Amino acid sequence: MRDVERLRERRQFSLDDRQVVALAICALLLLSGVFSLGVLIGKKTAPSAELAAAGLAALDAQARRPEARTAPHPEPAKAPPPPAAPNPPSQPPAERPAPVRAASVIPPPPRSATVIPPPSRPVQVAAPALPALAPPPRDLGEFTVQVGASQDRGEAARLESRVRSSGLRPYVVEAKLGRKGTWYRIRVGAFRDRESAMRFRKDVERELRTVAVVMPTR
């Protein structure tokens, strides 16, 4: 029986402990709810306090403005008027100088104008020396052998040099033919009859390998 009573006491004790724990939990929940409610109320009441403070500040500012407006500004001291200057003696009006007409000025030419250089002096070129031609002999005879003729003095000199290099003794006769111009005739030999000149012509053609002609000297 004693053992059964002890068990009952233990059960009763354990039930009491659970109740205590439940009460403690409820108390904590209640405290947390009250705290959160206080925080929410404080947040809601804070803006109204700020608005109230701002309204008070605005009222103070409006109360100060009339005082600032009504305060009289000190007027600056007026300087005494300057003494009147004595009237200067009347002077005759000065004569105005006659307007001077500006002379027409010709503007200088622009710098970018092209400058034409003076014409260069012509270069004098010395004329080339004319080639020397062999003069005809004193005794021309009646007939001679002509190997060529040219209006160019240089060409006549070259033909003469060629005939001379073959062993003959040529000479050049200058003939002025009016409108036909001046001709240089290259000739060889002086003969009194035509037959002698013809025989010599054949020798000349054989040596020079060109055509020769028998011509009268006059």
Side-chain angles (χ1 to χ4, degrees), residues 3-212:
D3 295 332
V4 174
E5 289 178 359
R6 288 179 181 176
L7 290 172
R8 287 178 180 177
E9 289 177 1
R10 289 180 182 176
R11 288 179 180 177
Q12 290 177 359
F13 181 76
S14 60
L15 290 173
D16 293 337
D17 291 338
R18 290 179 182 177
Q19 291 177 358
V20 170
V21 171
L23 290 173
I25 292 172
C26 292
L28 290 174
L29 291 174
L30 182 61
L31 288 174
S32 62
V34 173
F35 178 76
S36 60
L37 182 62
V39 170
L40 291 174
I41 294 170
K43 287 183 179 180
K44 289 182 179 180
T45 55
S48 59
E50 291 178 358
L51 291 175
L56 292 174
L59 292 174
D60 293 339
Q62 289 179 359
R64 291 175 184 176
R65 284 180 185 177
E67 296 177 358
R69 289 180 183 178
T70 54
H73 295 283
E75 295 182 356
K78 295 183 179 180
N87 295 328
S90 63
Q91 295 180 358
E95 296 182 357
R96 295 182 179 180
V100 180
R101 295 183 179 179
S104 59
V105 180
I106 300 174
R111 294 183 179 179
S112 61
T114 57
V115 179
I116 302 175
S120 58
R121 295 181 180 178
V123 180
Q124 297 180 356
V125 180
L130 298 175
L133 301 175
R138 293 181 181 180
D139 187 7
L140 293 177
E142 297 295 331
F143 297 92
T144 184
V145 178
Q146 184 171 308
V147 296
S150 175
Q151 287 184 304
D152 187 2
R153 187 182 180 94
E155 186 177 354
R158 288 191 294 272
L159 182 56
E160 179 198 354
S161 177
R162 177 187 171 191
V163 174
R164 193 179 300 279
S165 63
S166 64
L168 302 175
R169 294 180 181 180
Y171 62 90
V172 180
V173 177
E174 183 177 351
K176 296 181 180 181
L177 304 178
R179 293 182 179 179
K180 294 182 180 181
T182 302
W183 287 81
Y184 300 96
R185 296 171 177 173
I186 297 91
R187 295 177 174 178
V188 181
F191 305 94
R192 291 184 180 182
D193 53 29
R194 192 178 186 89
E195 288 77 9
S196 300
M198 292 295 291
R199 289 194 297 269
F200 185 70
R201 179 184 65 83
K202 292 178 181 179
D203 296 338
V204 171
E205 289 179 348
R206 184 174 60 254
E207 291 293 333
L208 299 177
R209 295 180 182 179
T210 186
V211 179

